[in-house]
Amino acid sequence: MNPHPYTNKLIDEKSPYLLQHAHNPVDWFPWGDEPFRIAKEQNKPALVSIGYATCHWCHVMERESFEDPELAKILNESFVAIKVDREERPDVDSIYMKAIQALGKQGGWPLNVFLTPDGIPFYGGTYFPPERRYNLPSFADVLRFLDNTWKNEQDKIRKQSVSVMEYLKRSSAQEPGSADTLSFAGEDQTAKSYEKHYDSLNFGFKFQAQNKFPPSMGLSTLLRHHARTGNEKSLEMTATTLRAMKNGGIYDQIGGGLSRYSTDYRWLVPHFEKMLYDNALFITALVETFQVTKKQEFADYARDCIEYIRRDMTSPEGAFYSAEDADSEGHEGKFYVWTQEEIEKLLGRQNASVVNAYYNVTPKGNFEGKNILNVTGSIADTASKLRLKENIVTEELAQGRAKLLEERSKRIRPLLDDKVLTSWNGLMISAMARTGRVLEDPEYTDRAEKALEFIWTRLRSPEGNLLRRYRDGDARYSGYLFDYASIAVACLDLYEATDNPEYIQRAREMMAKVEEKFPAENGAYYETADDAEGLIMRQISGYDGVEPSGNSNAALAFLRLAAYLLDPGLEKKAEKILTAFHHDLMDYGLNSSFMMQALHLYLGGLKEVAIIGVKNDPATVEFRKLARQGFFPNAVFAFAYDDDAGKDEVPLLAGKTAIDGKATAYVCRHGACLPPVHTVQDLITCLKQEA
């Protein structure tokens, strides 16, 4: 029997994270007005505890503290406890994450912040252990200390709250610059910063002690730097890092998919949870690297990752799920690791000998007595070591991988967080559309279209407003800037994959909503809409953390729309975003890797390429191949056949014809076009001309 009066307030929630806590002895409230009303009536501080369903340390703290009756008793008597899914409510998470930083602490999840009844933060941290360890106070000691301070020293809390609020307001203030403050110096400095932190032994970048996070957005920035400058180091860092991630334990060698981060410099031992956004950004970086290098391995890596998304992360309706947990049966990574004995028993001696050699399987193991499969040599290396032909090794590996995947599917799987998040789907739709375009594989494009249709019909109101989250038939929460802008970018990527002008109109509709609901005084955009729930402040951010920021996506969407619609006013809106964050872009580009891509497009001259094809003309095929497979990060491409009655729906194509009955390409800038050309080589020459 549950004796606590408020616990079941989480029962009716759809968030898998909130449901995980629905039976704790803590009297949890979901975020809303009610807990703050009670906090005021009872003169209690509030605890807002923020996490997500696949967060390992959130599970640990739940088991150790929130399921402990004695700790729950302290919480229930002295605090009003609020649970928040940070993926459903990134606005709440972002404010209180910055508050932790204002208090001089490192952020992360679970995020536990103590608030006044007005929602103002005054103390907090991330994981608190049940007993003092890791140089951290016990959770019970924290609760008793704060209870005593609240009852006896509220002046201290008031002063702390004022200080935190001042920091939050400063952190969201951006002093706009002018277009003159923007230059490629920011991109150059960013490339130098990546080179400074480059790990030439294990690849990737050393930004933190031990942990390595997938730097996919940064790698895409380095590709643009290489394209502009010819800097081979930028390309080398990109290719080696992608290869190291794909071959490391951070990548699921049997089932595909990238884990959240590596706990060591070697990319070997991952934090095993898999997030949709990480994999979307990874796929995009892989496909772009294939465009630049033409090396088939990067296309193969992208296909492998997409197969994981298709198999394990796609709903029956075609939308993409959010994440998979690190834990199964209470142990992190248990689902993924193997003993040598297990593999030999399953595969037989010959097949196992190849699999074990290639994936570095040993009797001792490399993770708690078991093996995280990883690759440190090539198929040729394995063939040489085992004195086999390379084609035999390739066949044995394919056979062994299939058997291991089949056997692993019988294990108890980690939790699947099956909610559909609009912005994360936008990132994956873009990744799928780009892959379909570049690899000329209509299956990927079809999957992207199907996912977008789900967003358009299930997560969009009759008034055209986006919602944030869908799960189990329930769509909820007003869409954020990132939701609108990422869907706009996804629509533009689908246009370039399908040539369907409807996607340009959908992108235009999304960015009109951004203009209507999110504008700030400095030319950037608020994270929340003007009709969203009022929090203690309304934030403006250009920080590209684990995901791109809403402003970064908005800048990119405005720039690309400006080219398709021949609308300089839209380019001006993008320019205002970039100038609002000019200080970050010029001096702290590592934190603005996605916005840096928009800056590259802006500074590169934003070339508008219109290709008018003629059926049965070989030049049409060549033009389309270049537009689809070439890497031109400072250009957008529009295509239509000369006899296509709908080509005037795209202003960039309107009025343009196939001259002398030949396929014709036009390269323009702000509507002023170079002489039209009829060959791919001439088009490349036009694209390389300085803005």
Side-chain angles (χ1 to χ4, degrees):
M1 176 178 285
N2 189 343
H4 303 290
Y6 302 130
T7 303
N8 285 340
K9 289 190 177 292
L10 299 186
I11 288 291
D12 294 330
E13 294 294 314
K14 295 294 186 181
S15 160
Y17 177 63
L18 298 189
L19 291 172
Q20 287 170 356
H21 291 266
H23 297 285
N24 295 163
V26 177
D27 299 339
W28 293 115
F29 284 83
W31 180 270
D33 293 335
E34 185 180 8
F36 291 104
R37 176 182 58 79
I38 291 173
K40 289 176 182 177
E41 290 175 355
Q42 299 182 4
N43 190 28
K44 291 181 179 179
L47 165 67
V48 59
S49 183
I50 305 172
Y52 54 102
T54 60
C55 166
H56 171 71
W57 285 101
C58 300
H59 303 330
V60 172
M61 192 164 178
E62 181 189 15
R63 289 195 300 267
E64 293 178 342
S65 298
F66 299 139
E67 291 182 352
D68 184 301
E70 293 303 314
L71 280 169
K73 182 179 179 182
I74 300 171
L75 259 176
N76 295 336
E77 289 177 352
S78 301
F79 301 86
V80 176
I82 305 168
K83 261 292 167 196
V84 174
D85 184 332
R86 70 118 178 161
E87 295 166 355
E88 289 188 338
R89 294 301 304 265
D91 53 341
V92 175
D93 175 60
S94 178
I95 286 175
Y96 294 118
M97 187 68 74
K98 285 185 178 177
I100 288 296
Q101 294 163 355
L103 293 166
K105 299 184 179 181
Q106 186 172 340
W109 299 280
L111 182 65
N112 292 289
V113 187
F114 294 86
L115 319 175
T116 69
D118 293 321
I120 310 298
F122 63 87
Y123 186 87
T126 52
Y127 165 77
F128 291 107
E131 299 90 22
R132 184 176 182 85
R133 62 173 182 256
Y134 311 131
N135 200 30
L136 294 170
S138 74
F139 194 45
D141 287 345
V142 169
L143 295 177
R144 292 189 183 101
F145 165 74
L146 293 176
D147 179 39
N148 179 67
T149 306
W150 179 261
K151 290 174 179 175
N152 300 303
E153 299 180 89
Q154 283 204 24
D155 280 351
K156 286 185 177 180
I157 288 175
R158 184 185 62 79
K159 289 178 182 177
Q160 184 80 295
S161 299
V162 169
S163 177
V164 171
M165 282 302 299
E166 288 175 350
Y167 173 88
L168 291 176
K169 289 175 182 176
R170 287 196 306 271
S171 71
S172 198
Q174 300 292 332
E175 175 136 0
S178 67
D180 293 338
T181 62
L182 301 173
S183 73
F184 278 122
E187 183 179 277
D188 292 337
Q189 181 59 43
T190 301
K192 288 178 183 176
S193 296
Y194 276 112
E195 187 170 351
K196 177 182 176 182
H197 292 92
Y198 180 58
D199 180 353
S200 59
L201 179 63
N202 297 299
F203 312 114
F205 308 95
K206 293 181 180 179
F207 294 120
Q208 297 179 333
Q210 290 300 113
N211 295 342
K212 275 185 178 174
F213 286 79
S216 300
M217 288 183 285
L219 299 182
S220 289
T221 294
L222 288 173
L223 288 175
R224 284 155 177 77
H225 182 254
H226 167 75
R228 177 176 65 86
T229 66
N231 186 301
E232 289 300 323
K233 189 66 177 180
S234 290
L235 181 58
E236 175 196 333
M237 291 188 292
T238 300
T240 56
T241 298
L242 288 171
R243 195 177 290 120
M245 287 194 291
K246 170 59 175 67
N247 289 334
I250 191 174
Y251 192 83
D252 179 0
Q253 299 298 329
I254 297 304
L258 193 69
S259 293
R260 182 69 200 88
Y261 61 85
S262 174
T263 63
D264 63 285
Y265 284 154
R266 296 169 52 207
W267 300 105
L268 176 61
V269 181
H271 184 40
F272 287 88
E273 65 185 297
K274 296 177 181 176
M275 313 300 290
L276 183 67
Y277 59 80
D278 278 323
N279 284 277
L281 295 167
F282 182 56
I283 291 166
T284 297
L286 288 168
V287 169
E288 289 186 341
T289 305
F290 170 70
Q291 287 179 283
V292 173
T293 66
K294 306 304 180 188
K295 291 184 178 179
Q296 187 62 37
E297 62 179 309
F298 296 109
D300 292 343
Y301 296 166
R303 288 185 185 277
D304 191 78
C305 197
I306 288 177
E307 173 57 20
Y308 157 68
I309 298 297
R310 181 203 66 77
R311 186 186 64 245
D312 293 336
M313 295 289 284
T314 304
S315 75
E317 301 90 348
F320 303 116
Y321 296 136
S322 294
E324 287 195 296
D325 206 336
D327 298 11
S328 55
E329 301 180 75
H331 297 281
E332 183 175 8
K334 184 175 181 179
F335 180 74
Y336 296 101
V337 296
W338 301 84
T339 65
Q340 180 174 310
E341 183 180 3
E342 284 177 313
I343 292 176
E344 289 175 346
K345 183 177 180 180
L346 176 67
L347 301 185
R349 184 174 179 180
Q350 179 176 329
N351 193 203
S353 68
V354 175
V355 168
N356 289 341
Y358 185 71
Y359 289 115
N360 293 293
V361 176
T362 66
K364 183 180 178 181
N366 54 27
F367 179 73
E368 299 177 355
K370 295 189 177 183
N371 291 274
I372 300 170
L373 274 55
N374 67 103
V375 179
T376 54
S378 65
I379 287 177
D381 293 334
T382 302
S384 176
K385 179 181 178 181
L386 299 178
R387 298 183 180 179
L388 295 171
K389 292 182 179 180
E390 288 186 31
N391 67 310
I392 298 297
V393 171
T394 300
E395 292 170 5
E396 292 283 353
L397 288 174
Q399 179 182 338
R401 192 183 189 211
K403 286 183 178 179
L404 290 174
L405 181 61
E406 181 182 5
E407 180 66 21
R408 198 181 73 177
S409 68
K410 300 172 186 176
R411 296 177 178 177
I412 296 174
R413 291 192 67 89
L415 168 78
L416 171 67
D417 187 340
D418 61 354
K419 65 178 180 289
V420 174
L421 295 172
T422 299
S423 61
W424 294 10
N425 269 253
L427 293 177
M428 186 55 76
I429 292 166
S430 284
M432 290 273 191
R434 291 186 186 193
T435 307
R437 184 188 84 234
V438 172
L439 302 188
E440 297 188 289
D441 192 325
E443 179 189 342
Y444 300 146
T445 305
D446 290 345
R447 291 188 178 282
E449 290 191 283
K450 193 172 182 181
L452 181 68
E453 204 56 37
F454 182 96
I455 300 297
W456 211 251
T457 56
R458 305 289 185 89
L459 279 154
R460 184 168 150 272
S461 72
E463 298 76 30
N465 298 322
L466 288 179
L467 296 171
R468 169 68 176 174
R469 184 270 288 151
Y470 178 94
R471 184 173 187 265
D472 195 21
D474 178 60
R476 192 183 299 186
Y477 305 113
S478 296
Y480 301 97
L481 175 63
F482 185 19
D483 294 309
Y484 283 89
S486 69
I487 292 300
V489 171
C491 287
L492 296 176
D493 284 324
L494 270 172
Y495 169 72
E496 291 200 347
T498 65
D499 306 316
N500 183 349
E502 180 184 349
Y503 290 123
I504 291 180
Q505 297 310 314
R506 289 187 177 188
R508 186 181 202 172
E509 181 181 327
M510 290 294 95
M511 297 314 292
K513 287 290 183 181
V514 166
E515 273 294 286
E516 173 192 337
K517 300 166 75 69
F518 296 90
E521 294 76 13
N522 65 355
Y525 294 85
Y526 288 109
E527 295 298 300
T528 52
D530 55 8
D531 57 354
E533 176 191 349
L535 302 177
I536 59 173
M537 66 173 296
R538 202 173 170 203
Q539 292 195 97
I540 301 171
S541 176
Y543 174 63
D544 298 322
V546 295
E547 313 161 40
S549 73
N551 273 293
S552 297
N553 273 275
L556 197 58
F558 277 133
L559 285 169
R560 292 172 67 182
L561 267 179
Y564 289 122
L565 301 179
L566 302 182
D567 185 347
L570 294 178
E571 184 175 354
K572 194 69 178 176
K573 295 181 192 300
E575 181 186 282
K576 287 182 177 179
I577 296 174
L578 298 173
T579 56
F581 296 100
H582 70 99
H583 182 63
D584 293 337
L585 288 166
M586 294 299 104
D587 297 332
Y588 302 103
L590 292 177
N591 296 331
S592 307
S593 292
F594 200 85
M595 192 177 289
M596 195 68 70
Q597 296 172 38
L599 180 66
H600 183 98
L601 179 58
Y602 169 79
L603 294 173
L606 189 56
K607 295 179 174 65
E608 306 148 354
V609 183
I611 298 173
I612 306 300
V614 175
K615 291 173 182 175
N616 301 318
D617 181 350
T620 300
V621 176
E622 292 301 309
F623 276 141
R624 295 200 75 184
K625 183 177 180 181
L626 179 73
R628 288 173 174 270
Q629 296 184 3
F631 186 67
F632 300 104
N634 61 348
V636 300
F637 292 85
F639 174 84
Y641 284 106
D642 196 33
D643 58 358
D644 186 346
K647 71 178 179 181
D648 288 351
E649 294 178 38
V650 181
L652 177 54
L653 294 170
K656 296 181 174 67
T657 62
I659 298 173
D660 296 330
K662 299 177 182 178
T664 306
Y666 300 78
V667 178
C668 310
R669 166 82 170 124
H670 287 164
C673 301
L674 296 171
V677 297
H678 298 289
T679 70
V680 164
Q681 191 54 54
D682 286 341
L683 175 55
I684 292 173
T685 300
C686 292
L687 288 168
K688 288 182 177 180
Q689 287 192 21
E690 295 293 328

